Amino acid sequence: MGAALEEQFEPKKHAVSGIESLTADWRQEATIFPTANLTNRLLTIGIPTIQRQKSTYFFNTLESLFNCTTNAELPDIYIVIFLADFNEEWKENITNTLTRKYSYYIRSGLLQVVHAPRNFYPSLSNLQHTYNDPEEKRKWRSKQNADYAFLFMYAKPLSTYYMQLEDDVYTVPGYMQSIREHIQKESQGWVCLEFSELGFIGKLFHSKDLEKLAKITLLFYEEQPVDFTYLYFNILMLQFERRIIHPTLFQHIGVQSSLNGKIQPLKDKYFDVMKKQFNGDNPPAKVFTTIETMPDFPPQLAYELSDGYFWTHMAPKDKDTITIVFNTPQHIDKVIIDTGSKEHPTDRLENGKLDASLSLVEKTDTLAVCTNDIFLGTFQNGMIKVTDLGKKLGPFTVHCLRVTATADQAFWLIVREISVFTSKELEVKQPINA
């Protein structure tokens, strides 16, 4: 951003800027690659980008979006890239690279590239001194507010919904399906759904609200960053709580901020790519636990064959349990339980054991009591894998599997997968009568 600010055009004190400065054909003038016959789509993804002093992550972000969007989903989205730097040489280089790499998406109108006229920007001189920020940072965040406002205005007529991303994130396969499902699932009263807990990443709005959001962002452009402004906007629009969707869909990868000299190694703690990998049989069962859980990560998710995981809301204590109760007793051959994750390597079971229970004494909606236990093994490095259980269990069927913490733990616990494999060789053969 430093290069951009050094070349920043300074409007005259009383010059018209912002939304009032937009002419009748401003949208056509803003578009670097002319588009025609655009139809309204489900979602527009807006990504502003500028010249960075060192590392650049922009094309990694774009590649992640395209790689994680299916061909069937592409007609539902627009991606709008806003070149928010006034360095003409840089803009030409980025434009040429986009043309070379993504000509098909550009011709179809799916990928749109825009820039803003300089007179859209308000004055960046004599800005209010807020948050004890130095002058360069105040200019950076104030210009950034105007960048967002311009992008909101451009995207407003393109689709039903709008999502804000940054140019240094990546996503996961299925992100579009997840967004669609949460739009359908959430009540009609929402203003902003958040698919990342960080800053202004992954924020989903109704496109019809974008002009209001642009106006309030410009109104307070010098007072505070958009990361704060959108929260006040939500309240003014009568959404009084943040609605962060777990697990989140976008992870921040940037370390070098767009503000020169700023290091920003932020990570979204609710983002984790955890695919089930052991493909157990997992006969019908219910999972109980004595540990306080995160509402969006109940213990059942670790057992279900679909993607999902169990995340506690506190560190396990000695004798805390996770109990799998089968609907009908099972002949068990193998059990694999994996805890922790790449993003949260410390959230694993450090000390624990696994027992098989032959009898179920009591079962309610929140409690299961099992007995007649057979010890199966202990956790090593957050994981347990026990095999060939027919030799240990013999002809007995198992009604419950119980994980027990054998010591207090300092960190929370993620159980990413519980895989149970049933025996295929225990059918009793009837003798053939002579």
Side-chain angles (χ1 to χ4, degrees):
M1 176 64 76
L5 288 176
E6 289 172 7
E7 301 176 22
Q8 172 66 52
F9 171 78
E10 278 293 345
K12 294 179 181 179
K13 270 295 180 182
H14 301 289
V16 176
S17 63
I19 295 172
E20 291 77 14
S21 71
L22 298 176
T23 61
D25 54 354
W26 72 269
R27 189 170 275 103
Q28 289 74 24
E29 294 173 354
T31 307
I32 293 177
F33 302 108
T35 55
N37 302 319
L38 297 178
T39 58
N40 188 272
R41 298 190 178 184
L42 176 70
L43 177 67
T44 297
I45 299 172
I47 306 175
T49 187
I50 65 167
Q51 183 178 10
R52 291 177 185 256
Q53 190 177 42
K54 294 182 179 180
S55 303
T56 181
Y57 314 94
F58 167 66
F59 287 105
N60 293 333
T61 297
L62 210 49
E63 281 295 306
S64 177
L65 283 173
F66 284 126
N67 289 339
C68 294
T69 309
T70 67
N71 289 336
E73 292 167 340
L74 288 175
D76 292 334
I77 68 171
Y78 290 117
I79 298 175
V80 178
I81 306 302
F82 177 30
L83 304 184
D85 200 297
F86 292 131
N87 186 311
E88 295 299 328
E89 182 181 356
W90 174 83
K91 285 200 289 187
E92 183 178 356
N93 290 337
I94 289 289
T95 300
N96 290 339
T97 304
L98 288 168
T99 303
R100 186 174 68 251
K101 292 171 67 75
Y102 304 110
S103 59
Y104 170 77
Y105 296 126
I106 291 172
R107 288 196 307 271
S108 70
L110 185 153
L111 182 61
Q112 300 178 40
V113 185
V114 301
H115 59 166
R118 293 194 174 197
N119 64 356
F120 180 82
Y121 289 86
S123 173
L124 298 180
S125 297
N126 301 316
L127 296 168
Q128 289 196 41
H129 195 287
T130 59
Y131 299 103
N132 292 317
D133 286 338
E135 181 182 9
E136 184 180 8
K137 186 174 182 180
R138 297 201 305 274
K139 286 187 175 183
W140 169 76
R141 73 170 200 234
S142 297
K143 179 187 176 296
Q144 194 177 61
N145 280 334
D147 294 340
Y148 286 126
F150 186 84
L151 191 50
F152 298 156
M153 292 300 296
Y154 181 85
K156 179 186 173 185
L158 296 178
S159 58
T160 307
Y161 301 99
Y162 173 83
M163 172 167 283
Q164 184 66 53
L165 289 186
E166 299 298 340
D167 65 353
D168 55 356
V169 302
Y170 70 94
T171 188
V172 292
Y175 80 95
M176 268 298 295
Q177 181 62 28
S178 179
I179 291 170
R180 190 189 300 272
E181 289 175 355
H182 282 287
I183 287 173
Q184 295 171 348
K185 184 172 69 174
E186 294 291 327
S187 66
Q188 293 300 309
W190 66 270
V191 176
C192 175
L193 300 182
E194 303 188 40
F195 292 89
S196 170
E197 69 154 352
L198 298 178
F200 203 46
I201 298 170
K203 312 310 181 195
L204 183 75
F205 298 93
H206 298 269
S207 294
K208 62 182 176 62
D209 294 334
L210 288 179
E211 185 168 347
K212 292 179 183 178
L213 182 57
K215 288 178 177 178
I216 196 172
T217 302
L218 287 173
L219 186 62
F220 297 100
Y221 84 98
E222 63 177 305
E223 281 82 8
Q224 59 188 11
V226 73
D227 307 32
F228 298 164
T229 303
Y230 89 96
L231 295 173
Y232 293 113
F233 175 77
N234 293 348
I235 294 172
L236 291 171
M237 296 289 288
L238 305 182
Q239 177 183 311
F240 298 103
E241 296 179 342
R242 295 180 69 180
R243 296 195 185 185
I244 304 176
I245 306 301
H246 298 148
T248 52
L249 299 178
F250 303 95
Q251 181 61 290
H252 183 254
I253 57 174
V255 176
Q256 298 287 341
S257 171
S258 57
L259 174 61
N260 283 348
K262 183 181 180 184
I263 304 299
Q264 190 163 264
L266 299 176
K267 292 295 181 183
D268 188 329
K269 66 182 179 182
Y270 297 113
F271 177 93
D272 226 325
V273 181
M274 287 191 279
K275 294 286 184 182
K276 299 286 173 65
Q277 56 182 325
F278 300 116
N279 301 313
D281 299 314
N282 289 25
K286 185 172 181 179
V287 185
F288 300 83
T289 186
T290 60
I291 314 169
E292 183 179 343
T293 66
M294 300 264 268
D296 293 314
F297 302 93
Q300 195 72 28
L301 292 181
Y303 186 77
E304 291 178 355
L305 297 177
S306 57
D307 292 331
Y309 53 93
F310 168 41
W311 202 357
T312 69
H313 199 249
M314 62 182 298
K317 301 297 183 184
D318 185 28
K319 297 184 174 56
D320 270 332
T321 60
I322 301 168
T323 305
I324 302 101
V325 180
F326 300 109
N327 290 5
T328 56
Q330 301 290 322
H331 290 287
I332 304 298
D333 180 61
K334 180 170 66 173
V335 179
I336 303 174
I337 301 176
D338 194 14
T339 69
S341 71
K342 180 180 178 181
E343 299 283 342
H344 301 274
T346 59
D347 287 6
R348 66 182 188 178
L349 188 59
E350 296 290 352
N351 300 281
K353 65 172 184 171
L354 177 65
D355 294 294
S357 301
L358 307 184
S359 304
L360 175 65
V361 177
E362 181 183 359
K363 177 183 174 185
T364 67
D365 289 340
T366 58
L367 173 72
V369 178
C370 304
T371 189
N372 292 334
D373 298 338
I374 298 175
F375 173 75
L376 299 183
T378 59
F379 280 75
Q380 302 293 329
N381 298 318
M383 184 178 184
I384 187 168
K385 180 179 180 180
V386 288
T387 60
D388 202 16
L389 290 178
K391 294 179 181 179
K392 180 171 285 192
L393 298 173
F396 297 111
T397 56
V398 174
H399 216 138
C400 312
L401 292 170
R402 182 172 62 252
V403 175
T404 304
T406 55
D408 289 353
Q409 187 161 311
F411 298 97
W412 295 5
L413 173 65
I414 289 175
V415 181
R416 58 186 300 163
E417 186 168 359
I418 300 171
S419 280
V420 177
F421 299 80
T422 56
S423 175
K424 307 297 190 296
E425 301 177 356
L426 289 176
E427 294 182 4
V428 178
K429 296 184 178 180
Q430 299 295 328
I432 300 175
N433 294 326

